[in-house]
Amino acid sequence: MSAHAVLVATLAAAAAGRPATLARITRPAEPRLPRGTRLPDAVRVVELQAASAEAAVQAACEAATARDREGWLILDLPAECLAAPSLRAHLDAAVLPVGPTPLDEHFAAAVLGDPRLVPPVQAGPPAPVWLLGCGRSGGEPAVARFERSMRAAVRTGAPDAADAIRALPVALPRLGPSDAAGLVVGTLTSRLLCQGLHLIAAIEAAARHPSAAPLRRQDLAESPGPAPSAAGGADHRDTGERLRDLAEALEAIEEGAGPSPQDLADAPLLEDWDVGLRAVRALTGVVSGHPDFPRPCRIRTSEVYASDGRTWVRTYSRWYRLGRAVGDTAPTTLQ
């Protein structure tokens, strides 16, 4: 998850016209970046292996001392290194990416339980680490849920550190197939580029105000690219994110694990409700090769979510190839 966030921030900085150096300092067992990764000319990559945490800290300090002050230096290094005061003194902002699962949050809470890493808010430098929620969709409500969850996780093992927990006001969404494929070769999809631009704006704001109260989306007005929405709690999930969230919720319900009390506490309240119907678009036709129908027969598909209008369609259940349309004497396009 750290490499994902680091690549997004590096590529977004380059897209914004800012020279960036990505310094990856890994332990011997950790893999290097994929060989097919081709980063923009504005990005310089340095990959070093360190035999110990102390050696990793020393390498990171040397990279920070030698950096080009006109550009960005983005360090990707083991989280344990952040506990070293000598390194923290060189950093404008320290960010700990945290994945979307309870296990990810547990591991992050264990790191944050180190008193050297998260001193009291009033203690002065080094400032507390900022958290970055990764693999999380839903805009500001998702960030708020993430921050509450991390406070609760840290409070279990280190009560004094919980009040110093602060999350950046942006989160990186789950990677779709195009997002993941692009990162491997060093490119960002338009969706991930927008998130990356907001991420570097959030990091810059955290660097300007290292001990400030929690940042808000409004504090990122200087972000290049589309400005954050003025609607404080707006839900910016796209169709894919909404469907993935629905799938996860249905799986939890089937397993008897949902909705959780926190899910319901964060949910809006619907009053004077009644059952209503909405028309959804579907296709009818004679299907062959369907796993549920061994012989050709006429069916009505589940609701249609996407189509190129002529050769394929994606329904709730599956992909379909489109053959001849009914009465197809001239080219027919699905609108």
mmCIF file of all heavy atoms in Angstrom, residues 174-219:
data_model
loop_
_atom_site.group_PDB
_atom_site.id
_atom_site.type_symbol
_atom_site.label_atom_id
_atom_site.label_comp_id
_atom_site.label_asym_id
_atom_site.label_seq_id
_atom_site.Cartn_x
_atom_site.Cartn_y
_atom_site.Cartn_z
ATOM 1 N N ARG A 174 -9.820 2.626 -3.928
ATOM 2 C CA ARG A 174 -9.370 1.316 -4.385
ATOM 3 C C ARG A 174 -8.896 1.420 -5.829
ATOM 4 O O ARG A 174 -9.449 2.178 -6.616
ATOM 5 C CB ARG A 174 -10.512 0.302 -4.317
ATOM 6 C CG ARG A 174 -11.067 0.055 -2.925
ATOM 7 C CD ARG A 174 -12.231 -0.913 -3.004
ATOM 8 N NE ARG A 174 -12.824 -1.170 -1.719
ATOM 9 C CZ ARG A 174 -13.781 -0.440 -1.159
ATOM 10 N NH1 ARG A 174 -14.234 0.628 -1.809
ATOM 11 N NH2 ARG A 174 -14.280 -0.734 0.011
ATOM 12 N N LEU A 175 -7.893 0.648 -6.149
ATOM 13 C CA LEU A 175 -7.385 0.650 -7.514
ATOM 14 C C LEU A 175 -8.279 -0.214 -8.395
ATOM 15 O O LEU A 175 -8.480 -1.404 -8.101
ATOM 16 C CB LEU A 175 -5.956 0.105 -7.558
ATOM 17 C CG LEU A 175 -4.867 0.951 -6.913
ATOM 18 C CD1 LEU A 175 -3.519 0.275 -7.114
ATOM 19 C CD2 LEU A 175 -4.841 2.355 -7.473
ATOM 20 N N GLY A 176 -8.805 0.370 -9.466
ATOM 21 C CA GLY A 176 -9.475 -0.414 -10.477
ATOM 22 C C GLY A 176 -8.445 -1.059 -11.385
ATOM 23 O O GLY A 176 -7.244 -0.777 -11.292
ATOM 24 N N PRO A 177 -8.869 -1.939 -12.294
ATOM 25 C CA PRO A 177 -7.911 -2.596 -13.190
ATOM 26 C C PRO A 177 -7.066 -1.612 -13.982
ATOM 27 O O PRO A 177 -5.852 -1.801 -14.122
ATOM 28 C CB PRO A 177 -8.809 -3.438 -14.106
ATOM 29 C CG PRO A 177 -10.055 -3.669 -13.312
ATOM 30 C CD PRO A 177 -10.241 -2.432 -12.496
ATOM 31 N N SER A 178 -7.667 -0.542 -14.512
ATOM 32 C CA SER A 178 -6.908 0.438 -15.288
ATOM 33 C C SER A 178 -5.936 1.199 -14.407
ATOM 34 O O SER A 178 -4.802 1.497 -14.819
ATOM 35 C CB SER A 178 -7.857 1.412 -15.989
ATOM 36 O OG SER A 178 -8.702 0.745 -16.897
ATOM 37 N N ASP A 179 -6.364 1.534 -13.180
ATOM 38 C CA ASP A 179 -5.478 2.234 -12.246
ATOM 39 C C ASP A 179 -4.230 1.401 -11.962
ATOM 40 O O ASP A 179 -3.103 1.888 -12.018
ATOM 41 C CB ASP A 179 -6.201 2.505 -10.920
ATOM 42 C CG ASP A 179 -7.411 3.403 -11.078
ATOM 43 O OD1 ASP A 179 -7.371 4.303 -11.925
ATOM 44 O OD2 ASP A 179 -8.393 3.187 -10.349
ATOM 45 N N ALA A 180 -4.456 0.119 -11.621
ATOM 46 C CA ALA A 180 -3.345 -0.753 -11.248
ATOM 47 C C ALA A 180 -2.403 -0.979 -12.421
ATOM 48 O O ALA A 180 -1.177 -0.938 -12.271
ATOM 49 C CB ALA A 180 -3.886 -2.089 -10.727
ATOM 50 N N ALA A 181 -2.973 -1.230 -13.610
ATOM 51 C CA ALA A 181 -2.139 -1.460 -14.788
ATOM 52 C C ALA A 181 -1.321 -0.212 -15.126
ATOM 53 O O ALA A 181 -0.150 -0.308 -15.509
ATOM 54 C CB ALA A 181 -3.008 -1.866 -15.979
ATOM 55 N N GLY A 182 -1.910 0.969 -14.971
ATOM 56 C CA GLY A 182 -1.196 2.199 -15.251
ATOM 57 C C GLY A 182 -0.045 2.435 -14.301
ATOM 58 O O GLY A 182 1.051 2.837 -14.709
ATOM 59 N N LEU A 183 -0.251 2.177 -13.007
ATOM 60 C CA LEU A 183 0.817 2.399 -12.031
ATOM 61 C C LEU A 183 2.031 1.518 -12.312
ATOM 62 O O LEU A 183 3.170 1.937 -12.127
ATOM 63 C CB LEU A 183 0.298 2.134 -10.618
ATOM 64 C CG LEU A 183 -0.407 3.280 -9.899
ATOM 65 C CD1 LEU A 183 -0.773 2.856 -8.488
ATOM 66 C CD2 LEU A 183 0.462 4.524 -9.857
ATOM 67 N N VAL A 184 1.793 0.299 -12.761
ATOM 68 C CA VAL A 184 2.900 -0.615 -13.026
ATOM 69 C C VAL A 184 3.828 -0.050 -14.092
ATOM 70 O O VAL A 184 5.047 -0.231 -14.033
ATOM 71 C CB VAL A 184 2.366 -2.000 -13.440
ATOM 72 C CG1 VAL A 184 3.478 -2.879 -13.990
ATOM 73 C CG2 VAL A 184 1.714 -2.683 -12.244
ATOM 74 N N VAL A 185 3.269 0.661 -15.072
ATOM 75 C CA VAL A 185 4.104 1.202 -16.150
ATOM 76 C C VAL A 185 4.392 2.694 -15.969
ATOM 77 O O VAL A 185 4.988 3.329 -16.833
ATOM 78 C CB VAL A 185 3.455 0.955 -17.531
ATOM 79 C CG1 VAL A 185 3.330 -0.532 -17.796
ATOM 80 C CG2 VAL A 185 2.087 1.626 -17.631
ATOM 81 N N GLY A 186 3.936 3.267 -14.856
ATOM 82 C CA GLY A 186 4.303 4.650 -14.554
ATOM 83 C C GLY A 186 3.364 5.704 -15.074
ATOM 84 O O GLY A 186 3.784 6.833 -15.338
ATOM 85 N N THR A 187 2.066 5.391 -15.228
ATOM 86 C CA THR A 187 1.087 6.383 -15.669
ATOM 87 C C THR A 187 -0.098 6.381 -14.714
ATOM 88 O O THR A 187 -0.348 5.403 -14.014
ATOM 89 C CB THR A 187 0.589 6.093 -17.107
ATOM 90 O OG1 THR A 187 -0.055 4.803 -17.131
ATOM 91 C CG2 THR A 187 1.731 6.110 -18.097
ATOM 92 N N LEU A 188 -0.829 7.503 -14.721
ATOM 93 C CA LEU A 188 -2.024 7.638 -13.891
ATOM 94 C C LEU A 188 -3.250 7.773 -14.769
ATOM 95 O O LEU A 188 -3.238 8.496 -15.768
ATOM 96 C CB LEU A 188 -1.920 8.878 -12.990
ATOM 97 C CG LEU A 188 -0.860 8.898 -11.898
ATOM 98 C CD1 LEU A 188 -0.885 10.236 -11.172
ATOM 99 C CD2 LEU A 188 -1.073 7.761 -10.906
ATOM 100 N N THR A 189 -4.334 7.082 -14.395
ATOM 101 C CA THR A 189 -5.605 7.339 -15.030
ATOM 102 C C THR A 189 -6.087 8.727 -14.614
ATOM 103 O O THR A 189 -5.586 9.307 -13.648
ATOM 104 C CB THR A 189 -6.648 6.295 -14.618
ATOM 105 O OG1 THR A 189 -6.828 6.374 -13.186
ATOM 106 C CG2 THR A 189 -6.205 4.880 -14.988
ATOM 107 N N SER A 190 -7.064 9.269 -15.346
ATOM 108 C CA SER A 190 -7.560 10.605 -15.003
ATOM 109 C C SER A 190 -8.128 10.633 -13.587
ATOM 110 O O SER A 190 -7.944 11.614 -12.857
ATOM 111 C CB SER A 190 -8.618 11.046 -16.020
ATOM 112 O OG SER A 190 -9.683 10.114 -16.074
ATOM 113 N N ARG A 191 -8.816 9.563 -13.185
ATOM 114 C CA ARG A 191 -9.373 9.506 -11.829
ATOM 115 C C ARG A 191 -8.268 9.536 -10.790
ATOM 116 O O ARG A 191 -8.317 10.294 -9.809
ATOM 117 C CB ARG A 191 -10.213 8.235 -11.673
ATOM 118 C CG ARG A 191 -10.829 8.056 -10.285
ATOM 119 C CD ARG A 191 -11.610 6.770 -10.202
ATOM 120 N NE ARG A 191 -10.738 5.626 -10.010
ATOM 121 C CZ ARG A 191 -10.820 4.790 -8.966
ATOM 122 N NH1 ARG A 191 -11.724 4.985 -8.043
ATOM 123 N NH2 ARG A 191 -10.017 3.761 -8.864
ATOM 124 N N LEU A 192 -7.227 8.726 -10.991
ATOM 125 C CA LEU A 192 -6.151 8.651 -10.008
ATOM 126 C C LEU A 192 -5.294 9.908 -10.039
ATOM 127 O O LEU A 192 -4.748 10.328 -9.015
ATOM 128 C CB LEU A 192 -5.297 7.408 -10.282
ATOM 129 C CG LEU A 192 -4.640 6.741 -9.069
ATOM 130 C CD1 LEU A 192 -5.668 6.458 -7.989
ATOM 131 C CD2 LEU A 192 -3.943 5.462 -9.483
ATOM 132 N N LEU A 193 -5.179 10.543 -11.217
ATOM 133 C CA LEU A 193 -4.437 11.811 -11.296
ATOM 134 C C LEU A 193 -5.131 12.878 -10.465
ATOM 135 O O LEU A 193 -4.476 13.627 -9.722
ATOM 136 C CB LEU A 193 -4.329 12.260 -12.745
ATOM 137 C CG LEU A 193 -3.717 13.656 -12.964
ATOM 138 C CD1 LEU A 193 -2.309 13.725 -12.398
ATOM 139 C CD2 LEU A 193 -3.725 14.018 -14.443
ATOM 140 N N CYS A 194 -6.450 12.965 -10.555
ATOM 141 C CA CYS A 194 -7.192 13.952 -9.765
ATOM 142 C C CYS A 194 -6.968 13.708 -8.274
ATOM 143 O O CYS A 194 -6.700 14.640 -7.509
ATOM 144 C CB CYS A 194 -8.672 13.875 -10.124
ATOM 145 S SG CYS A 194 -9.696 15.086 -9.265
ATOM 146 N N GLN A 195 -7.051 12.441 -7.851
ATOM 147 C CA GLN A 195 -6.810 12.124 -6.443
ATOM 148 C C GLN A 195 -5.369 12.445 -6.049
ATOM 149 O O GLN A 195 -5.106 12.931 -4.953
ATOM 150 C CB GLN A 195 -7.099 10.632 -6.194
ATOM 151 C CG GLN A 195 -8.546 10.226 -6.366
ATOM 152 C CD GLN A 195 -9.431 10.783 -5.277
ATOM 153 O OE1 GLN A 195 -8.975 11.061 -4.168
ATOM 154 N NE2 GLN A 195 -10.711 10.943 -5.583
ATOM 155 N N GLY A 196 -4.421 12.182 -6.968
ATOM 156 C CA GLY A 196 -3.023 12.459 -6.666
ATOM 157 C C GLY A 196 -2.739 13.938 -6.504
ATOM 158 O O GLY A 196 -1.966 14.346 -5.634
ATOM 159 N N LEU A 197 -3.372 14.776 -7.341
ATOM 160 C CA LEU A 197 -3.194 16.222 -7.213
ATOM 161 C C LEU A 197 -3.729 16.726 -5.880
ATOM 162 O O LEU A 197 -3.126 17.584 -5.229
ATOM 163 C CB LEU A 197 -3.881 16.940 -8.372
ATOM 164 C CG LEU A 197 -3.273 16.699 -9.760
ATOM 165 C CD1 LEU A 197 -4.132 17.350 -10.833
ATOM 166 C CD2 LEU A 197 -1.845 17.225 -9.832
ATOM 167 N N HIS A 198 -4.854 16.198 -5.454
ATOM 168 C CA HIS A 198 -5.383 16.577 -4.147
ATOM 169 C C HIS A 198 -4.477 16.057 -3.026
ATOM 170 O O HIS A 198 -4.319 16.710 -1.989
ATOM 171 C CB HIS A 198 -6.800 16.042 -3.976
ATOM 172 C CG HIS A 198 -7.794 16.711 -4.866
ATOM 173 N ND1 HIS A 198 -9.005 16.145 -5.184
ATOM 174 C CD2 HIS A 198 -7.755 17.890 -5.523
ATOM 175 C CE1 HIS A 198 -9.669 16.964 -6.000
ATOM 176 N NE2 HIS A 198 -8.926 18.023 -6.207
ATOM 177 N N LEU A 199 -3.875 14.881 -3.245
ATOM 178 C CA LEU A 199 -2.977 14.330 -2.227
ATOM 179 C C LEU A 199 -1.753 15.213 -2.038
ATOM 180 O O LEU A 199 -1.380 15.526 -0.900
ATOM 181 C CB LEU A 199 -2.554 12.912 -2.620
ATOM 182 C CG LEU A 199 -1.461 12.275 -1.756
ATOM 183 C CD1 LEU A 199 -1.889 12.208 -0.294
ATOM 184 C CD2 LEU A 199 -1.103 10.886 -2.284
ATOM 185 N N ILE A 200 -1.105 15.634 -3.128
ATOM 186 C CA ILE A 200 0.095 16.468 -2.949
ATOM 187 C C ILE A 200 -0.278 17.835 -2.372
ATOM 188 O O ILE A 200 0.500 18.422 -1.616
ATOM 189 C CB ILE A 200 0.903 16.604 -4.255
ATOM 190 C CG1 ILE A 200 0.105 17.300 -5.345
ATOM 191 C CG2 ILE A 200 1.402 15.263 -4.729
ATOM 192 C CD1 ILE A 200 0.936 17.596 -6.594
ATOM 193 N N ALA A 201 -1.488 18.329 -2.689
ATOM 194 C CA ALA A 201 -1.932 19.581 -2.063
ATOM 195 C C ALA A 201 -2.115 19.390 -0.559
ATOM 196 O O ALA A 201 -1.778 20.272 0.240
ATOM 197 C CB ALA A 201 -3.225 20.063 -2.705
ATOM 198 N N ALA A 202 -2.633 18.221 -0.156
ATOM 199 C CA ALA A 202 -2.823 17.941 1.270
ATOM 200 C C ALA A 202 -1.475 17.818 1.981
ATOM 201 O O ALA A 202 -1.300 18.304 3.104
ATOM 202 C CB ALA A 202 -3.639 16.662 1.443
ATOM 203 N N ILE A 203 -0.506 17.172 1.333
ATOM 204 C CA ILE A 203 0.817 17.022 1.945
ATOM 205 C C ILE A 203 1.485 18.391 2.097
ATOM 206 O O ILE A 203 2.115 18.688 3.120
ATOM 207 C CB ILE A 203 1.686 16.073 1.107
ATOM 208 C CG1 ILE A 203 1.092 14.661 1.134
ATOM 209 C CG2 ILE A 203 3.122 16.050 1.625
ATOM 210 C CD1 ILE A 203 1.778 13.683 0.203
ATOM 211 N N GLU A 204 1.337 19.241 1.074
ATOM 212 C CA GLU A 204 1.906 20.590 1.170
ATOM 213 C C GLU A 204 1.254 21.374 2.300
ATOM 214 O O GLU A 204 1.933 22.108 3.034
ATOM 215 C CB GLU A 204 1.741 21.322 -0.152
ATOM 216 C CG GLU A 204 2.659 20.802 -1.254
ATOM 217 C CD GLU A 204 2.466 21.537 -2.568
ATOM 218 O OE1 GLU A 204 1.321 21.970 -2.835
ATOM 219 O OE2 GLU A 204 3.445 21.675 -3.319
ATOM 220 N N ALA A 205 -0.063 21.230 2.461
ATOM 221 C CA ALA A 205 -0.749 21.926 3.551
ATOM 222 C C ALA A 205 -0.271 21.406 4.900
ATOM 223 O O ALA A 205 -0.087 22.177 5.851
ATOM 224 C CB ALA A 205 -2.259 21.754 3.403
ATOM 225 N N ALA A 206 -0.054 20.081 4.997
ATOM 226 C CA ALA A 206 0.451 19.505 6.247
ATOM 227 C C ALA A 206 1.860 19.995 6.545
ATOM 228 O O ALA A 206 2.218 20.209 7.706
ATOM 229 C CB ALA A 206 0.427 17.982 6.152
ATOM 230 N N ALA A 207 2.662 20.196 5.485
ATOM 231 C CA ALA A 207 4.025 20.704 5.688
ATOM 232 C C ALA A 207 4.013 22.159 6.152
ATOM 233 O O ALA A 207 4.847 22.566 6.967
ATOM 234 C CB ALA A 207 4.824 20.566 4.389
ATOM 235 N N ARG A 208 3.058 22.943 5.642
ATOM 236 C CA ARG A 208 2.967 24.350 6.057
ATOM 237 C C ARG A 208 2.472 24.493 7.487
ATOM 238 O O ARG A 208 2.806 25.441 8.183
ATOM 239 C CB ARG A 208 2.030 25.123 5.116
ATOM 240 C CG ARG A 208 2.578 25.352 3.719
ATOM 241 C CD ARG A 208 1.748 26.387 2.975
ATOM 242 N NE ARG A 208 0.350 26.005 2.871
ATOM 243 C CZ ARG A 208 -0.158 25.325 1.844
ATOM 244 N NH1 ARG A 208 0.633 24.923 0.854
ATOM 245 N NH2 ARG A 208 -1.443 25.018 1.805
ATOM 246 N N HIS A 209 1.632 23.541 7.922
ATOM 247 C CA HIS A 209 1.028 23.619 9.256
ATOM 248 C C HIS A 209 1.263 22.287 9.980
ATOM 249 O O HIS A 209 0.322 21.529 10.219
ATOM 250 C CB HIS A 209 -0.472 23.906 9.149
ATOM 251 C CG HIS A 209 -0.802 25.064 8.253
ATOM 252 N ND1 HIS A 209 -0.551 26.369 8.601
ATOM 253 C CD2 HIS A 209 -1.342 25.104 7.007
ATOM 254 C CE1 HIS A 209 -0.931 27.163 7.615
ATOM 255 N NE2 HIS A 209 -1.412 26.425 6.636
ATOM 256 N N PRO A 210 2.508 21.986 10.336
ATOM 257 C CA PRO A 210 2.833 20.653 10.855
ATOM 258 C C PRO A 210 2.136 20.285 12.152
ATOM 259 O O PRO A 210 1.949 19.110 12.426
ATOM 260 C CB PRO A 210 4.362 20.717 11.045
ATOM 261 C CG PRO A 210 4.679 22.172 11.136
ATOM 262 C CD PRO A 210 3.691 22.859 10.254
ATOM 263 N N SER A 211 1.760 21.268 12.959
ATOM 264 C CA SER A 211 1.096 20.958 14.234
ATOM 265 C C SER A 211 -0.295 21.552 14.298
ATOM 266 O O SER A 211 -0.838 21.799 15.379
ATOM 267 C CB SER A 211 1.941 21.476 15.409
ATOM 268 O OG SER A 211 3.191 20.832 15.444
ATOM 269 N N ALA A 212 -0.874 21.777 13.122
ATOM 270 C CA ALA A 212 -2.181 22.420 13.077
ATOM 271 C C ALA A 212 -3.283 21.445 13.493
ATOM 272 O O ALA A 212 -3.082 20.243 13.595
ATOM 273 C CB ALA A 212 -2.462 22.938 11.665
ATOM 274 N N ALA A 213 -4.448 22.022 13.726
ATOM 275 C CA ALA A 213 -5.636 21.198 13.928
ATOM 276 C C ALA A 213 -5.892 20.424 12.644
ATOM 277 O O ALA A 213 -5.314 20.728 11.602
ATOM 278 C CB ALA A 213 -6.825 22.092 14.276
ATOM 279 N N PRO A 214 -6.759 19.424 12.657
ATOM 280 C CA PRO A 214 -7.020 18.644 11.438
ATOM 281 C C PRO A 214 -7.323 19.532 10.240
ATOM 282 O O PRO A 214 -8.069 20.498 10.326
ATOM 283 C CB PRO A 214 -8.230 17.792 11.833
ATOM 284 C CG PRO A 214 -8.089 17.618 13.314
ATOM 285 C CD PRO A 214 -7.515 18.921 13.808
ATOM 286 N N LEU A 215 -6.709 19.187 9.107
ATOM 287 C CA LEU A 215 -6.950 19.931 7.881
ATOM 288 C C LEU A 215 -8.324 19.585 7.323
ATOM 289 O O LEU A 215 -8.858 18.501 7.557
ATOM 290 C CB LEU A 215 -5.875 19.583 6.842
ATOM 291 C CG LEU A 215 -4.449 19.976 7.186
ATOM 292 C CD1 LEU A 215 -3.489 19.355 6.175
ATOM 293 C CD2 LEU A 215 -4.297 21.489 7.185
ATOM 294 N N ARG A 216 -8.866 20.517 6.551
ATOM 295 C CA ARG A 216 -10.153 20.296 5.880
ATOM 296 C C ARG A 216 -9.944 20.389 4.386
ATOM 297 O O ARG A 216 -8.950 20.923 3.909
ATOM 298 C CB ARG A 216 -11.182 21.333 6.329
ATOM 299 C CG ARG A 216 -11.467 21.337 7.815
ATOM 300 C CD ARG A 216 -12.245 22.594 8.182
ATOM 301 N NE ARG A 216 -11.481 23.795 7.832
ATOM 302 C CZ ARG A 216 -11.992 25.028 7.830
ATOM 303 N NH1 ARG A 216 -13.255 25.209 8.137
ATOM 304 N NH2 ARG A 216 -11.245 26.058 7.505
ATOM 305 N N ARG A 217 -10.923 19.876 3.623
ATOM 306 C CA ARG A 217 -10.808 19.962 2.165
ATOM 307 C C ARG A 217 -10.702 21.421 1.711
ATOM 308 O O ARG A 217 -10.029 21.726 0.733
ATOM 309 C CB ARG A 217 -12.028 19.312 1.497
ATOM 310 C CG ARG A 217 -12.165 17.813 1.719
ATOM 311 C CD ARG A 217 -11.271 17.025 0.813
ATOM 312 N NE ARG A 217 -11.696 17.033 -0.568
ATOM 313 C CZ ARG A 217 -11.332 16.130 -1.464
ATOM 314 N NH1 ARG A 217 -10.537 15.134 -1.100
ATOM 315 N NH2 ARG A 217 -11.735 16.203 -2.710
ATOM 316 N N GLN A 218 -11.346 22.321 2.441
ATOM 317 C CA GLN A 218 -11.295 23.734 2.052
ATOM 318 C C GLN A 218 -9.874 24.288 2.160
ATOM 319 O O GLN A 218 -9.543 25.283 1.523
ATOM 320 C CB GLN A 218 -12.243 24.566 2.925
ATOM 321 C CG GLN A 218 -13.708 24.238 2.716
ATOM 322 C CD GLN A 218 -14.198 23.153 3.653
ATOM 323 O OE1 GLN A 218 -13.469 22.213 3.945
ATOM 324 N NE2 GLN A 218 -15.424 23.277 4.122
ATOM 325 N N ASP A 219 -9.029 23.645 2.991
ATOM 326 C CA ASP A 219 -7.662 24.107 3.141
ATOM 327 C C ASP A 219 -6.799 23.772 1.927
ATOM 328 O O ASP A 219 -5.660 24.219 1.841
ATOM 329 C CB ASP A 219 -7.023 23.471 4.382
ATOM 330 C CG ASP A 219 -7.734 23.873 5.663
ATOM 331 O OD1 ASP A 219 -8.192 25.030 5.735
ATOM 332 O OD2 ASP A 219 -7.836 23.036 6.571
#
